[in-house]
Amino acid sequence: MAAGVGKSLKERVFHAMCLVATYGCVVILLALVASIFWEASGWLDWQFLTSRPSHDPEKAGVLVPLIGSLWIIGITTLVAVPMGIGAAVYLEEYLSDSLWKSIVQINISNLAGVPSIVYGLLGLVLFVRLMHFGRSILAASLTLALVILPIIIIATQEALRAVPPSIRHASFALGATRWQTVRHQVLPAAMPGIMTGVILSMARALGEAAPLIIVGGVGTMSYTPTSVYHKFMALPTAIYNWSSRPQAEFANVAAAGIVVLLVFLVILNAAAVTIRYRFGKRTQW
Amino acid sequence: MSELEKPMPEISVADAVRDRVHQTANISTSGIKVKATKLSVYYSDKQAVNEVTIDIPERCVTALIGPSGCGKSTFLRCLNRMNDMIDGARIEGEILLDGEDIYSSKTDVVQLRKRVGMVFQKSVPFPKTIFENVVYGPRVAGVRNRNRLMEIAESCLTRAALWDEVHDRLDDSALQLSGGQQQRLCIARALATNPDVLLMDEPASALDPASTARIEDLIFELKERYTIVIVTHNMQQAARVSDKTAFFFQGELIEAGPTTDVFTKPKQKRTEDYITGRFG
């Protein structure tokens, strides 16, 4: 009897703890988002989206960092996606199991865990200084490409591994070459998984502040960039800049900037979920 | 539970041999299409096939039988060099296709696989349309003309006895077909590269009895044009469809000969024990 009560008590306590943990997370997240929206309310308007930076919080806008972030995310994707997919295809489809492959694989996994500020320092030395790209969009994009490259490689490898070997064998048995098999069977079948990985890594690149602060600094500029060699402001660095200003109103400007960034991240994540859901249903083995 | 669970009708192997209505192909008069000499296959350190020497007669059905793990599927996969795909696989000995060594350095593996088609145990249609599945071989070989591809699709689907069932839905996904239809689609797909030899690795083991019967009828029709090598676990099936039977055990070829001989008067005790169901 006593044991029975004890068990049910433990059971209930454990249940309650799990419940608290789950809803605790949700409540904290909601509180955070609510406070940001509360601070941003009244500041996030058309004027904010279309204005350049200003010392007057009432006139400050997000246009320059917004355009900067779009440039950076575009170039980063352009560089990192072909390289990442290419590396993953090579590792999965061409390289046979060996010590060398294990070494490369372990290194890629470790690179995915390297703090992004380390990539920032590498980018500063390699792209800004050695390659003389300066504190430009190009240098920032290449640095962020390094940050997300391991993520894309690992996600693509997972997607390629999910394609059953029988599909490859059937293709080879019909006289297809390795390239034809990859091009016509493996990549199309893995594409939803690859796209999901790519979009999530884009979201990661969009939200990165540390490497951009190191490569590009947090200064403001008044023109929108029109070339990869131009200086840049990005959304995360602009938010950092605004939140470190002494005037209290800039906290509201920062909040409005955070909302803009969040909207982009939600759109990207929603796209990833949609692709996974729609194509995941269609292909059954 | 499903169709798959139903047992095959109880017919003894001897009955199946006696009931054969197609004792047309005489393997002693057929030419030799494939000749394997002292073929051994190793997976890393393990030997899977041990010095197998066998002739595969042209335009006949040769059945490879034996218990699981006896090396018959491994042997089959040597004939179109699918074992090349497996890390650590090593091959010794010689296989001649029309007198040419397929493991010679001059052999183009891609060309070889077009001449030696293969149908797998589990049907693996590509997640594409029925049409695209059939014409995949010709497409990767560079055929672009839509009319030509359509002709190939029609003739191959007809030969695989599938045309009547799918001719009005060639653009539907191949994954919507039933298991038996998918397997016939895979046969049609293999025929589209215009092979001489067709390798079948337990092509009916995952199918219900009705679909199995269709595949067997099809094999009987196909041997008019193609040399067929089939791996099967089903004694009745080997007896029904094949002209020549080869019994493998523990990587070695124990006995090979005309199917009627192997099944009615086996020379080796182990062959007799296996086909009468004493082990395996």
Side-chain angles (χ1 to χ4, degrees), chain A residues 141-191:
Chain A
S141 301
L142 292 175
T143 305
L144 280 183
L146 291 182
V147 174
I148 66 170
L149 202 51
I151 306 172
I152 293 181
I153 294 175
I154 289 168
T156 306
Q157 279 186 294
E158 296 287 338
L160 294 174
R161 267 182 231 142
V163 179
S166 57
I167 288 284
R168 295 176 182 82
H169 293 169
S171 176
F172 288 131
L174 289 168
T177 61
R178 201 169 278 273
W179 155 243
Q180 286 168 330
T181 300
V182 169
R183 159 80 183 75
H184 294 293
Q185 302 298 344
V186 181
L187 274 184
M191 206 37 93

Side-chain angles (χ1 to χ4, degrees), chain B residues 77-134:
Chain B
R77 283 199 302 271
C78 290
L79 299 178
N80 67 344
R81 292 184 60 170
M82 284 302 280
N83 284 329
D84 292 14
M85 302 287 146
I86 297 166
D87 286 339
R90 190 160 54 82
I91 285 142
E92 287 170 4
E94 188 182 59
I95 296 179
L96 301 181
L97 172 64
D98 290 331
E100 284 170 45
D101 182 6
I102 65 170
Y103 280 93
S104 113
S105 55
K106 279 179 280 176
T107 305
D108 181 349
V109 184
V110 167
Q111 289 304 322
L112 172 73
R113 296 202 182 116
K114 282 173 191 155
R115 286 177 65 193
V116 184
M118 188 164 198
V119 177
F120 297 86
Q121 177 175 7
K122 189 172 164 281
S123 59
V124 269
F126 300 131
K128 295 170 182 262
T129 66
I130 294 170
F131 177 79
E132 285 302 330
N133 264 275
V134 181

Side-chain angles (χ1 to χ4, degrees), chain B residues 15-240:
Chain B
D15 286 341
V17 174
R18 210 179 306 121
D19 292 346
R20 283 167 49 125
V21 287
H22 59 278
Q23 308 219 344
T24 46
N26 184 344
I27 64 167
S28 58
T29 57
S30 300
I32 294 168
K33 186 72 186 174
V34 182
K35 188 176 180 64
T37 311
K38 291 206 165 184
L39 186 83
S40 296
V41 184
Y42 303 82
Y43 291 134
S44 300
D45 297 333
K46 195 177 147 285
Q47 185 164 20
V49 172
N50 187 8
E51 300 211 338
V52 167
T53 299
I54 185 175
D55 294 341
I56 308 284
E58 188 163 26
R59 295 189 192 190
C60 289
V61 178
T62 302
L64 310 181
I65 61 169
S68 299
C70 68
K72 56 193 190 303
S73 289
T74 302
F75 175 78
L76 189 79
R77 283 199 302 271
C78 290
L79 299 178
N80 67 344
R81 292 184 60 170
M82 284 302 280
N83 284 329
D84 292 14
M85 302 287 146
I86 297 166
D87 286 339
R90 190 160 54 82
I91 285 142
E92 287 170 4
E94 188 182 59
I95 296 179
L96 301 181
L97 172 64
D98 290 331
E100 284 170 45
D101 182 6
I102 65 170
Y103 280 93
S104 113
S105 55
K106 279 179 280 176
T107 305
D108 181 349
V109 184
V110 167
Q111 289 304 322
L112 172 73
R113 296 202 182 116
K114 282 173 191 155
R115 286 177 65 193
V116 184
M118 188 164 198
V119 177
F120 297 86
Q121 177 175 7
K122 189 172 164 281
S123 59
V124 269
F126 300 131
K128 295 170 182 262
T129 66
I130 294 170
F131 177 79
E132 285 302 330
N133 264 275
V134 181
V135 302
Y136 183 70
R139 252 198 212 289
V140 297
V143 179
R144 292 237 162 66
N145 184 305
R146 176 88 192 174
N147 292 332
R148 179 79 195 100
L149 290 173
M150 195 62 217
E151 282 169 26
I152 293 172
E154 179 169 356
S155 77
C156 293
L157 284 167
T158 307
R159 260 182 256 164
L162 191 59
W163 177 253
D164 292 341
E165 291 160 57
V166 302
H167 67 92
D168 53 353
R169 50 186 178 124
L170 291 176
D171 291 327
D172 287 5
S173 166
L175 299 174
Q176 293 169 3
L177 297 173
S178 73
Q181 288 173 324
Q182 289 191 359
Q183 195 57 298
R184 277 179 282 146
L185 178 67
C186 290
I187 294 174
R189 192 170 72 179
L191 297 180
T193 62
N194 205 14
D196 307 336
V197 183
L198 206 52
L199 309 177
M200 296 183 160
D201 192 353
E202 300 186 47
S205 66
L207 302 179
D208 61 78
S211 302
T212 301
R214 296 212 58 166
I215 300 278
E216 288 180 11
D217 289 346
L218 179 58
I219 291 170
F220 180 54
E221 284 163 30
L222 289 174
K223 75 171 182 179
E224 305 262 313
R225 303 174 64 128
Y226 305 96
T227 301
I228 296 172
V229 187
I230 179 172
V231 163
T232 179
H233 266 124
N234 181 331
M235 291 304 111
Q236 283 87 1
Q237 184 170 65
R240 278 192 302 264

